[in-house]
Amino acid sequence: MKLIQQMIKPWRHVFKLDPDRVISDEDLELVCLSGTDAILIGGSTGVTYENTVELLSRVRRFDLPCALEVSDLEAAVPGFDLYMIPMVLNTPDPAWIVGHHRQAIERYGNFIPWELLLTEGYIVLNGDSSVARLTGAECDLTAEEAAAYAQIADKLMTLPVVYLEYSGRFGDMETVQTVRESVENSQLFYGGGITCEAEAERAAALCDTVVVGNIIYRDVQQALLTVGAVKRTEHVRNLYIN
Ligand code: 1GP
């Protein structure tokens, strides 16, 4: 197992910050000191080199891991602890599976810190999300279809991460459970629409890592409560996770 994979293994709760959105210094401090395991920086639109550098330098004042989810070639900023590289599995458009990746390798070649990269098998499940529109993902999947995609990531491609992405909407927990039961080795990330402790607990009971984004910008106090909620699920999680 890559060293960097060991680094993310204990992550149960992650806050995702969008460089294209405004967060005050006070709120950023609350988020970074909340007890979350890491900050993931990423977004689907409006992510630039400049706003990514700026957010990284603000997060760097705090002592917690900071990862970049690379979604735009222009915004591949050096200095992160690790880089998460999405591969969208449920899109018919190869640009989002290997196309942008090929261009990045052609462009950055020897500068790529391979030892810091982790590939995420992304399964996009909210058709109304920006990421679904951008990637043309086919989101109308049955639980079994979603689980089959997850097994492509887990068993055929042996990717370190399977990411169930409901961005902006709380997901269907039956689908998440079916996926959970089919994933053996990849670390299962869940993200999407978590706005309260109860939702955070439900997702955390089924997944290894819970990502909370949007609510930070709408109600930071609610966002902070999700940290404790996720951490409290350890006993339930063990029922599902080997
Ligand atoms: C988005 O999965 C993350 O990429 C989190 O989703 O913003 O809906 O919390 P929300």
Side-chain angles (χ1 to χ4, degrees):
M1 188 190 279
K2 271 170 130 176
L3 221 55
I4 206 72
Q5 209 174 331
Q6 288 173 20
M7 176 174 167
I8 69 161
K9 205 90 201 150
W11 290 4
R12 285 288 282 145
H13 183 284
V14 171
F15 275 129
K16 192 187 266 194
L17 294 176
D18 185 341
D20 194 33
R21 297 179 81 171
V22 177
I23 184 165
S24 66
D25 285 341
E26 294 72 27
D27 285 1
L28 186 66
E29 181 169 355
L30 289 171
V31 162
C32 291
L33 299 179
S34 63
T36 189
D37 296 305
I39 300 293
L40 181 55
I41 292 185
S44 301
T45 54
V47 178
T48 65
Y49 193 90
E50 289 70 28
N51 61 22
T52 304
V53 167
E54 201 219 330
L55 189 52
L56 171 64
S57 65
R58 292 174 70 203
V59 172
R60 276 290 183 237
R61 306 207 321 268
F62 304 95
D63 183 23
L64 79 174
C66 188
L68 178 65
E69 189 166 62
V70 183
S71 57
D72 193 314
L73 280 188
E74 304 304 325
V77 169
F80 281 86
D81 296 309
L82 70 144
Y83 295 85
M84 307 201 71
I85 314 296
M87 245 180 198
V88 179
L89 302 177
N90 58 324
T91 174
D93 182 355
W96 298 101
I97 309 171
V98 289
H100 294 293
H101 314 64
R102 193 209 73 212
Q103 286 172 9
I105 292 168
E106 284 178 352
R107 186 191 298 193
Y108 298 113
N110 292 338
F111 295 105
I112 297 175
W114 291 106
E115 69 287 358
L116 300 183
L117 264 56
L118 282 178
T119 313
E120 305 171 296
Y122 241 67
I123 306 169
V124 179
L125 291 163
N126 176 8
D128 290 329
S129 61
S130 310
V131 59
R133 280 190 291 274
L134 185 68
T135 61
E138 293 170 340
C139 303
D140 199 11
L141 301 179
T142 63
E144 289 67 31
E145 287 167 340
Y149 275 121
Q151 287 174 83
I152 290 174
D154 180 36
K155 300 195 171 72
L156 289 183
M157 299 168 85
T158 56
L159 301 184
V161 172
V162 171
Y163 194 128
L164 288 179
E165 175 62 291
Y166 279 93
S167 180
R169 190 183 78 206
F170 191 63
D172 171 25
M173 289 297 119
E174 282 179 26
T175 298
V176 175
Q177 173 144 6
T178 305
V179 169
R180 162 79 280 162
E181 286 162 2
S182 73
V183 170
E184 283 181 69
N185 298 307
S186 306
Q187 187 160 339
L188 183 58
F189 278 52
Y190 171 88
I194 292 179
T195 58
C196 64
E197 288 175 282
E199 288 165 347
E201 273 172 29
R202 290 183 68 201
L206 294 169
C207 298
D208 300 310
T209 306
V210 172
V211 182
V212 175
N214 211 17
I215 189 70
I216 300 166
Y217 300 92
R218 294 206 339 249
D219 185 342
V220 77
Q221 292 303 332
Q222 276 295 113
L224 298 176
L225 291 175
T226 64
V227 179
V230 167
K231 305 272 172 164
R232 282 196 296 275
T233 54
E234 212 45 42
H235 59 293
V236 192
R237 173 181 177 241
N238 292 335
L239 297 177
Y240 296 99
I241 297 170
N242 315 320

